[in-house]
Every structure is written in structure tokens, then in C-alpha cells.
Amino acid sequence: MILKAHWSYGAVKLPYLISDGMVLQRNHEIRIWGWADAGEVVKVDFVGEMKETTTGTDGMWEVIFPARAAGGPYEMNIIGNDHSFLLKDVWIGDVWVCSGQSNMEQTMARVEPMFPDEVKNANNPKIRYFDVPDAYDFSTPQLDVTGGKWVAADQENIKQFSAVAYFFAQKVHRKYGIPIGLINASVGGSPIQSWIREKELKRFPEDYKEAVRFQNPNLIKAIEEEDRDNRRKWHLEVRKKDKGYADQSMTWLDAKYHPENWNVMERLDLLPVEKGKQPGNGVYWFRKEFYLEQDQVGELEAKLLLGTIVDSDSAYVNGELVGTTAYQYPPRRYSVPKGVLKPGKNLLVVRVINERGRGGFVKDKPYQIEVGEEVVDLKNDWIYKQGAVMPPMPGQTFIRFKPLGLYHAMISPLHEFPVKGVLWYQGESNAGQPHTYEDQMVSLIEGWRKSWGVPKLPFLFVQLPNFMAPTDDPHSGNWPELREAQRKTLKVPHTGMAVTIDVGEANDIHPLDKKTVGERLALQAFKVAYGEKKGPFSGPELKKVKVKGSKIILTFEEIGEGLNTKEGRPPKGFAVAGKGQNYQWVAAKIANNKVVLDCSHIEQPEKVCYAWANNPVQANLVNEKGLPASPFEVVIDDPR
């Protein structure tokens, strides 16, 4: 897919970023640019100062204004031979680029159930947001994004803001009072290779080879057509085979239908594994009867919450479709219109299409219907039956995730726009290949800084949160490997990391608590970007490991007034491996603001780790501000 800038030679054109409501970077020369016919004179009037230029032979023009302090709102008048723009509501403040995958994309609308007052009370014209549309290009760094506009953090727009970005901006704005501009260039599911600049991507030959391969538009077209055809055929076959629709006069949606030989699911969960055999793919129908006490329920709208479902679903109340979702991750929050519900018995039917893997309902999510003041729990006592048995859906080639494409289309167009720094939340899609991630992160940061021309550009990132079922193993999982690669990236100057192993959710790769994440990124910004000295700005960071007799002594930075634990109990989550041995849990205590590990039962201690699990529930080390210590694994320098 080859992207085109939204201009052609002729009347003066502007990039999408230069538009009403924009935030320009303070204390940095202000560059305004665009396109027009070669030789056309363009004038720009801003804050009482007029700049004039002539369009070059390449169709581009630019003017430079001197740096200004934070302020606004201002107007900017851009005048060509036969066309002019009056840009209104222009601010000068700090601009942050926000990038990564779905946890950076996740909107305030998605987290509203956890933060209803934050959404309801949002009204800050000095926080602005620009969402870069998803796009990719493997051949050419693009000159402009494909769309977008600046919006203010008000009631009309707040729900579309990235939640992490908004909570970050809110905390920074409250501290410094300056306008904050957020440019969100994120794509759910994207691996880091998609975002690395071409020069640095060449350090990874297999990734670069893949990027070059997808410079062929005919290959992209052929793959896209094949994927669409496979999905279409699979879904047509699903519909054709579905026994729930076999009798059109009495489908499985009908309240008069009497289920026979259906399975019982006492509590909503994924489909059961029977005799070691995974449930088949295809269609499953779930039915539940529930009762409402109010006489006037037919006159009320209701909210139906169905947690999250693997993979897609359609939900029916009393035979009426009330909601459908095409893939597994979004929370199911459906509205039931007036006139659908009735006093007494009601019927809820959910038709689930499971494409591959183990389908069903993700347990321990909210499953209920809210009607006025009445809330009915829907977690228990369901019946279900498979309506169609299918082979797994053929895999899809996610072309937009291929190396280099997102960088060219979504980051390259931003480099002419000066910014304060970068916020990065990504890594879930690389958890299966953690050992290359550190080099990839270092390369990405280097390339972005060179393209912006700012060697010390602050780069702040989120360490992966806790996720998946807890285990008792002291050393397991890919996610801690990825977290360690992220921690090691802190060796790059002017970087900062927000530790989040206490705000994830075991059953959701998209945890709702984005406020804590955004605010911890803001703490890093205070230190890295704004030069604050009085911390702590993060949880305890490992500084030194020393062996003393049968003890290992760990020294930490960023402890503030001292180390502590979340419950005031002894520190947990520490393990040590002897030479050539597996890790074993060790007892720990805090003494003189250091952590002391008892290794008396381990011969030749060689390595020590902390919180080394996908979901390290035992880890409890914090500083006096309650900020959690980062997971780590280190080789002991002086084993006894």
C-alpha cells in the first residue's frame, strides 16, 4: 500500500499536523511548512511577526519563527497567491509523541468503567490530542500522515484520547501549567520491528529482508486477496453448517425452542477440556434464562456486560440482537433498548464463533445486566451446544506488522514537527522473542533521535505489566525476559521506565488501570525531560549485588526515604541459582535499606532474580512512595 501525501501542486497545502488547535513545541524554533507550486510566494503571520518565502522546485516551502515560551491561544495566518488559511486556537507548550501497540491505543472510553469521574470531569483546553491514522509503507518515508486533527480534552472528545497519554498529560500539566500536545501513532498488535528506521533495521538482516520483500505491491495485493478469500469462505461454511439456524421456523434463538442434550456450564469460563482434548473450533450457542422483578422494565434501557469472549460474538435478548463484536479483546458492553426486556423470565442467547485455539468466556470478568437499580448476575447456570464444527480458520498475514512499514507511514511524517519527547508502550507482541528486544529498542531509540535531530530526546517507556495465571516457579515465562530487555535499555542515556507489575490483570492483556501507568511515565518525565532532582521517580532500581558469607546483599537506587514492602511483610519474590543449578526461592529481609538474601542452602550462588514470572504475584518490594521495584536477573560478580 503506497501512501500519498494529501496534496498536489497548486494552491498552498499544509500537513495535517499544522492545523487548528495544534500545540507547537515551546523553547524551540517554530517551523511551519507545506506545499505549493514551485516559485509561489507564501507568507505566514504569527504573533505579530510576518515571514515570507518562495516555494522551491520540489514544491515545498517553509518558514522559521524564533522560539517562544509556552502560551496561547494564538492565530496563524498562512497566505498564498490565491488561497489562505487562518489557523485558530494555536498553543505553544510541550509535545509528546506516543507510540506502541494496543495498550497505548486503549482509549478513555475503554477505561471509563474504572475512571468514570475522570471522563465526566474532563475539561482542559490546554491538553490536545492528535491521533495518527493507521497506515504502512515499505518503500518510502512519507511526508505526511493520512489524516487526523487536533482535539481538546473536553466532553466531546475525551473518550477518544489514549488513556495512558491523557493521564500522563494531566499530571504533567498540573505540575507545570503548560499546554500539552499528544500525538498518538500506535497500532494494536504491532511488533517493534514495524517501528524501526530503515538504517537501524539493517542491523537485523532477517527483518530487513522481510521489509524489502513487502516493497512489492503485487505481493501485498495477492496476500490480502487470499486472506480475504479464506476468511470469507470459512465464515460462509460456518453459517452453512450451523445447526442453530437449520430450522428457520425454530432457531436456537427462539424462546419457544426447547434445548435437548445441551451441556451445562455452571460458571462462565473457557470451553472445557475433556479427556485432555481441546474443544473444537466453530460455533457455540450459549443460553441463559434470567428474571427481572420490576414491572416497568419494558420502559427502561439496560446495560448488558458480557466480559470478553474468544473470539467473536452476537448477543440476543428475547430474540433481539443487542450487540456484536468481531474479535476477542474488546469488553462487551451492550445496550438493551426499551421494549426488549419484560417482567419475569427473559432469555439471553450468545452465539460465539471460535476461530482457533480454545474459545468461550474469559472468567472473572463482569457478566451482568443492569436495569435501573436492579443488577442481575449472569455468571452462573448456562447451557451450551456446538452448532458447527470447523477446522481452525487459516492464519492471516498481518501485512501492517511487517518490519519498517509503520515507521515510514506513521513516524517519518512527524520528524519535521519538534517534540519534547517520546512515550512508548509496546512489547507484548515481541514476548516470544525477548532476546533480541534490547538491541531492537536501542536501535529504535537511536534512529528516532537521529531523525528528529535531537541526540538527547527523552524516551520514556512502559515495562510490561503482570499478566497470565500465577505460578509457584521461581523462574519462568517469556514476559520477564522481555521486561529484563526493557530494564537493560535504561543504559541508553535520557531514557526512563515505568514499572507496572502491580497494575496488570491476570486475565486481560489490556488492563484498565492506565492512570497509574500514565502517572508513572509522568514521574519519569519529571526526571528525564524536566530535570527535577527530588525523587524518587520510580520504584527501587537495582544498583549493586554483593556476596558476604552465606548472604547476598542487594543495594538499590530510587528508594527515597527507604525500602518497604506492600504489606509490611518480609520481602518475597527473590530466587537464587547455584552454579549449574536451577533457581530456588530464598528468604529475604530489609536491613539498613538493603535487601539481604539468605543463601545458606545454595552452593556457589551464581545468579539472582526477582519477580521472574509472567505474573509475579509474590513480588512486594516497594519504596517509601509505594512504587514497585523492577523485576531483574543478574549474574553475581563475586560468587563465593
Side-chain angles (χ1 to χ4, degrees), residues 28-47:
H28 193 289
E29 66 178 19
I30 296 170
R31 178 176 180 267
I32 306 299
W33 76 98
W35 304 273
D37 281 333
E40 180 168 352
V41 175
V42 179
K43 301 177 182 178
V44 182
D45 184 3
F46 184 53
V47 198

Side-chain angles (χ1 to χ4, degrees), residues 42-46 49-51 61 63 65 76-78:
V42 179
K43 301 177 182 178
V44 182
D45 184 3
F46 184 53
E49 187 173 1
M50 178 76 77
K51 298 285 185 178
W61 57 267
V63 297
F65 289 90
M76 178 181 292
N77 198 12
I78 301 172

Side-chain angles (χ1 to χ4, degrees), residues 423-485:
L423 307 180
W424 176 257
Y425 192 162
Q426 193 278 334
E428 299 91 338
S429 290
N430 290 89
Q433 305 85 34
H435 300 294
T436 58
Y437 194 78
E438 179 187 349
D439 290 339
Q440 292 168 329
M441 275 280 283
V442 171
S443 297
L444 181 141
I445 295 168
E446 179 184 330
W448 287 25
R449 285 175 169 175
K450 287 180 177 178
S451 290
W452 258 289
V454 184
K456 298 180 180 180
L457 184 71
F459 194 100
L460 315 177
F461 54 92
V462 180
Q463 191 182 47
L464 289 186
N466 48 311
F467 177 53
M468 292 178 273
T471 70
D472 292 327
D473 193 326
H475 192 272
S476 64
N478 284 332
W479 279 46
E481 300 276 0
L482 199 288
R483 293 189 194 109
E484 180 68 359

